[in-house]
Amino acid sequence: MSRIKDNALSLTFLVLFLLSLAGQALAGMLHYNEQQLVEGGEAVSFLTYVTSSSFAVDVAENWQSEYLQFLLFIMLTIWMVQRGSPESKEPGREGAESDEEQRIGPYAEADSPAWARVKGWRLRLYSNSLGLAMGTVFLLSWLAQSVAGQAAYNSERLADLRDPIGWSAYVTSPEFWDRSLQNWQSELLAVLSMVVLSIYLRQRGSPESKPVGAPHSATDVSG
C-alpha cells in the first residue's frame, strides 16, 4: 500500500489516460460508423477502427501537441523568467546554472543519480535527458501523425475519385497544418494561462501554486 501511495499521482493519471483513450476509441468508432452508413459504406469493428489511420492520426496529433508544449516549457524556462510565477525561476537565475547549484560532479550528493557524479558525455546526456525525451516523443508522434494523416487523407481523396498525394505534399498541405496548429494554439494558451494566473491566484496545498499568503511578486515558490 505504501508503494501505491507513493506513486498515487502517476497511477491516477495513468488510469485516467487509459480510460479516456478507450473512451475516445469507442466514441470514434461509433462516429466513424455513422459516417460510413450515411455514405453507403459498411460499419467496422472496434479492432479494425483502433488499427486504422483515422484513429492513429487523431491520437498522434494530440500527443505531439502535448509533448511540444512540455518541450517548449522545459527549454524556455531555462533562459526566460516570469516574475511572480511559481512556474519560473527567480529573475537573475537565467541560464543552465552552476555545477554547485545543480549538484553535479564534485558537488553531487551521496544519493544523487550515478550519471550526475561522472564527467563527460554521460553527464551532458543526463543533464539534458528530460528535454531530449520530450523532444524525441514529440518528433516520433509528429512523424506518426504525418504518416497516418497522409493515409487517412488519401482514403478520403480516393473516395472522392481524386488522386492520392505523397508524404511531402501532405506535410506541406493546409489539411496537415490545420490539424496541427489547432492543437498547438490550445496547448500554448494553457501554458500561458498557468504561468500568468499562478501569479495572482492560489490553490491551497498544490505544488503548482504559491502558498496562499505569498505575495504576488514571489517567484519560484510553491505551496
Side-chain angles (χ1 to χ4, degrees), residues 52-152:
S52 70
S53 57
S54 296
F55 179 67
V57 68
D58 288 342
V59 172
E61 74 179 32
N62 285 321
W63 287 15
Q64 60 99 350
S65 63
E66 293 289 347
Y67 280 93
L68 175 64
Q69 172 197 159
F70 288 134
L71 175 63
L72 290 176
F73 193 57
I74 290 167
M75 301 309 295
L76 292 179
T77 50
I78 299 173
W79 303 100
M80 299 180 182
V81 298
Q82 176 60 58
R83 184 181 295 276
S85 176
E87 305 297 327
S88 167
K89 294 190 291 188
E90 293 181 355
R93 291 184 56 202
E94 297 89 342
E97 302 179 350
S98 67
D99 288 356
E100 183 176 7
E101 290 174 309
Q102 287 291 307
R103 292 183 288 178
I104 58 178
Y107 302 102
E109 300 175 351
D111 57 351
S112 295
W115 281 25
R117 298 195 295 267
V118 298
K119 296 181 180 180
W121 68 269
R122 288 180 297 173
L123 178 58
R124 289 194 297 274
L125 178 62
Y126 189 68
S127 297
N128 297 282
S129 56
L130 182 59
L132 288 171
M134 294 296 178
T136 299
V137 177
F138 164 68
L139 290 175
L140 290 176
S141 55
W142 181 89
L143 181 61
Q145 177 200 350
S146 67
V147 173
Q150 178 203 6

Side-chain angles (χ1 to χ4, degrees), residues 21-41:
L21 183 62
Q24 178 191 353
L26 179 59
M29 181 199 69
L30 295 174
H31 177 66
Y32 182 83
N33 284 338
E34 280 184 359
Q35 291 182 314
Q36 286 288 95
L37 294 175
V38 168
E39 296 170 1

Side-chain angles (χ1 to χ4, degrees), residues 184-194:
W184 291 9
Q185 54 87 14
S186 62
E187 303 301 337
L188 297 174
L189 177 61
V191 174
L192 173 63
S193 301
M194 186 66 180

